Amino acid sequence: MKDLFGKALLDYQNGKYTQDIITSTSISDDDILPVPYLFRGYKDMPIIEQKALKLCKGNILDVGCGAGSHSLYLQEKGFSVKSIDVSPGAITVSKQRGVLNATLKDVLNETETFDTILLLMNGTGIFKELNQVSKYLSHLKSLLKPKGQILIDSSDIKYMYEDEDGGYWMNMNSSYYGELDYFLSYKGKNENPMKWLYLDFDTLKFACDAVGLNCESVLDGEHFDYLARLR
């Protein structure tokens, strides 16, 4: 990983913001990810993120913390938060912004236990592929304290395969339609391609049932997205 995402965050944090991040996937063209959006406050967050933050309790693990916006909000509310990310730049920026406990770590290497585990901005993305969902869910379950909860969001991207006649052009014999190749570039440089997973709610619920987690739908967003609570 070249950590172009982290470099973009560092540029913004250090007053060197001149360009945004460009993203694309195996089924979509280039799209702009405005770097300032990653530094947003609570009032500028989508309703799903606001709801998730309001549901947090106890000591919290913020997985994929990015620039630390969710963690900072929770800290201000008096919560104890551990923030982890695989991006060195993101962790540096989170610390510079005031996140008290930010650590460079993959969630699969986490061993502490928590009352709330938070995975937002398509939290299922870190699962990468459908065949890894059970591994990640089992590990997340092992990190929960008694009566703990996992708050996670994702989207059903089936709509992206719909044609003008209302049919779907996806190959139903291929891999799960939410498995995408994800591409990111910043200032003319390309990050190494990565796998990224979007899960529809029914598929997430089925995977949760298989590992002994209860999965409930908490809130539907404005564009095929949803917030789920696992416990």
Side-chain angles (χ1 to χ4, degrees), residues 59-92:
N59 69 317
I60 301 162
L61 177 67
D62 183 5
V63 180
C65 64
S69 296
H70 300 131
S71 296
L72 286 170
Y73 173 83
L74 293 168
Q75 276 185 193
E76 291 169 1
K77 295 298 180 181
F79 289 102
S80 172
V81 187
K82 181 175 184 179
S83 312
I84 62 172
D85 205 296
V86 296
S87 162
I91 294 301
T92 298

Side-chain angles (χ1 to χ4, degrees), residues 42-109:
Y42 178 84
K43 65 180 179 61
D44 295 318
M45 293 178 187
I47 188 172
I48 277 182
E49 293 180 21
Q50 293 180 349
K51 180 66 173 180
L53 293 174
K54 291 296 187 184
L55 289 173
C56 286
K57 63 179 184 179
N59 69 317
I60 301 162
L61 177 67
D62 183 5
V63 180
C65 64
S69 296
H70 300 131
S71 296
L72 286 170
Y73 173 83
L74 293 168
Q75 276 185 193
E76 291 169 1
K77 295 298 180 181
F79 289 102
S80 172
V81 187
K82 181 175 184 179
S83 312
I84 62 172
D85 205 296
V86 296
S87 162
I91 294 301
T92 298
V93 168
S94 291
K95 290 179 178 179
Q96 289 178 352
R97 297 183 73 202
V99 175
L100 299 177
N101 185 7
T103 302
L104 183 66
K105 180 179 286 190
D106 188 301
V107 68
L108 291 177
N109 296 324

Side-chain angles (χ1 to χ4, degrees), residues 93-160:
V93 168
S94 291
K95 290 179 178 179
Q96 289 178 352
R97 297 183 73 202
V99 175
L100 299 177
N101 185 7
T103 302
L104 183 66
K105 180 179 286 190
D106 188 301
V107 68
L108 291 177
N109 296 324
E110 183 57 68
T111 58
E112 297 179 38
T113 56
F114 304 88
D115 298 295
T116 300
I117 300 176
L118 197 63
L119 301 99
L120 296 179
M121 295 189 71
N122 189 49
T124 66
I126 67 167
F127 301 162
K128 301 175 184 176
E129 297 175 295
L130 189 62
N131 62 14
Q132 295 201 64
V133 173
S134 292
K135 175 180 72 174
Y136 275 89
L137 289 177
S138 295
H139 181 67
L140 290 169
K141 181 183 177 183
S142 75
L143 303 181
L144 288 178
K145 291 185 175 182
K147 298 184 179 181
Q149 61 176 350
I150 301 164
L151 298 170
I152 187 169
D153 68 340
S154 194
S155 301
D156 184 352
I157 63 167
K158 188 177 181 180
Y159 73 93
M160 295 183 70

